[in-house]
Amino acid sequence: MEIPIIDFGEINGEGRSKTMALLHQACEQWGFFQIDNHGIDKKLMDKVKQSVNANYEENLKESFYQSDIDRCLEKDDDISDKDWETAFYQGNERVHSSTDQPGKKLSELMCENLGLEKNDIKKAFSGSKGPCVGTKVAKYPKSPQPERVRGLREHTDAGGIILMLQEDQIPGLEFFKDGKWVPIPPCKKNTIFVNTGDLLEVLTNGRYKSTVHRVMTDKDGSRLSIATFYNPAGDALISPAPKLLYPNSFRFQDYLKLYATTKFNDKGPRFETMKQMAHNGNNGFHT
């Protein structure tokens, strides 16, 4: 199963239409994909990974293997509610970057594909101070018994758009699609892995779904993950975008009157007409 790869380099080129269609399909049918030519300096990305790995080796590795979860594993205790992970979060800074910032750029492209205004996702996420960006840095150490413990148990992500720089050697990330687990290969050449969260599913009225995923452990190596979350502010009020809602609270006889004159046209405008009638407080054509 080939995971979609979105080439940002084609967004403003001749391949724009094809690339936008692929992004829309990836969001609707997969809930995860990779992006390439994203504009982030790849040398900087390598330096960040090297720094995190060095910090783990020098400051975290020894203490992890002396932790409760390691002792539980050695004693054959039940560890089904534990994760084989060491992680920390970095600054919850606000988004004030230019439009080529990947999370914001993706939100704009998603809006375009959904027929929304360019900044609708950003506005919905803004609250009183704008969308939030937070970064989770995680290492999934080598496990002597990978069959007994997950790196991270099955879950969906809570927020909006998640962008992940991951290990280029050690696998482990898996997404659930079409009734089976899909292994996500390590990111070569510093491509960025993306998945969509629960609140983006709410905002898009279920069009772009969050997908269950997990991290498996490995007996031969430790896996690195640096995940940046483009999320709503804590005080943002989240609801489906009105344009993506189906019409509601109308009488079938009134829909049939409209249908009779538009039967051979696309259904979308009919739905929009019914929504507008409801918005205007008129649930029918008659008074």
Side-chain angles (χ1 to χ4, degrees):
M1 189 177 291
E2 189 172 347
I3 299 165
I5 299 177
I6 311 302
D7 185 352
F8 268 20
E10 294 291 333
I11 291 297
N12 296 315
E14 294 181 357
R16 177 179 174 79
S17 295
K18 182 178 179 180
T19 302
M20 291 294 288
L22 180 60
L23 173 62
H24 191 50
Q25 181 188 54
C27 292
E28 280 196 321
Q29 300 179 16
W30 293 71
F32 56 96
F33 51 91
Q34 295 185 73
I35 57 173
D36 197 9
N37 295 317
H38 40 68
I40 300 177
D41 188 288
K42 295 189 175 183
K43 290 183 179 180
L44 175 61
M45 294 169 72
D46 283 333
K47 288 181 179 179
V48 170
K49 289 194 292 186
Q50 291 169 6
S51 175
V52 171
N53 282 327
N55 180 60
Y56 167 74
E57 293 292 331
E58 294 172 10
N59 302 311
L60 300 174
K61 182 177 180 179
E62 184 177 352
S63 60
F64 178 83
Y65 286 110
Q66 295 174 356
S67 64
D68 289 341
I69 186 172
D70 186 62
R71 286 192 288 270
C72 289
L73 192 64
E74 290 178 353
K75 295 177 182 179
D76 288 333
D77 290 346
D78 180 19
I79 52 173
S80 60
D81 62 343
K82 300 183 183 301
D83 301 310
W84 191 262
E85 173 193 59
T86 177
F88 62 91
Y89 289 84
Q90 282 188 312
N92 233 355
E93 56 191 64
R94 300 288 175 182
V95 177
H96 295 294
S97 57
S98 62
T99 55
D100 63 353
Q101 197 272 345
K104 182 173 181 289
K105 185 173 183 178
L106 276 169
S107 77
E108 294 171 352
L109 297 176
M110 289 175 182
C111 284
E112 181 177 339
N113 272 334
L114 290 165
L116 303 175
E117 296 297 320
K118 178 180 179 180
N119 290 319
D120 276 357
I121 291 177
K122 179 184 176 182
K123 289 178 181 177
F125 282 8
S126 288
S128 59
K129 296 183 179 179
C132 282
V133 166
T135 299
K136 176 187 175 183
V137 180
K139 285 287 288 186
Y140 301 94
K142 288 194 294 185
S143 172
Q145 300 182 58
E147 71 283 355
R148 288 193 58 217
V149 64
R150 298 274 192 270
L152 194 59
R153 287 162 289 163
E154 292 79 1
H155 66 288
T156 59
D157 289 325
I161 301 170
I162 299 88
L163 303 99
M164 183 187 303
L165 173 62
Q166 62 171 341
E167 177 64 54
D168 58 7
Q169 298 293 327
I170 306 299
L173 182 62
E174 296 183 349
F175 274 70
F176 196 70
K177 175 174 168 54
D178 298 335
K180 60 183 179 181
W181 289 102
V182 179
I184 307 301
C187 288
K188 302 295 184 181
K189 300 180 181 179
N190 281 331
T191 56
I192 291 178
F193 185 83
V194 179
N195 67 282
T196 50
D198 295 344
L199 293 194
L200 190 68
E201 179 172 336
V202 172
L203 182 66
T204 63
N205 199 34
R207 293 283 298 276
Y208 292 174
K209 297 185 185 302
S210 59
T211 307
V212 175
H213 53 286
R214 66 187 183 185
V215 177
M216 307 300 286
T217 54
D218 193 284
K219 65 179 180 180
D220 297 318
S222 62
R223 176 180 173 272
L224 168 67
S225 166
I226 303 172
T228 297
F229 299 82
Y230 183 80
N231 278 349
D235 62 348
L237 294 176
I238 303 298
S239 61
K243 193 169 184 179
L244 301 180
L245 289 172
Y246 283 109
N248 59 73
S249 300
F250 60 87
R251 287 183 285 268
F252 183 47
Q253 64 186 23
D254 297 324
Y255 183 75
L256 283 178
K257 289 179 182 179
L258 179 61
Y259 180 81
T261 59
T262 61
K263 178 175 180 178
F264 299 105
N265 298 336
D266 183 73
K267 63 187 174 185
R270 284 199 297 273
F271 290 168
E272 289 301 314
T273 298
M274 301 307 293
K275 284 196 290 186
Q276 188 61 44
M277 287 167 52
H279 178 73
N280 293 337
N282 178 13
N283 286 338
F285 289 98
H286 56 276
T287 57

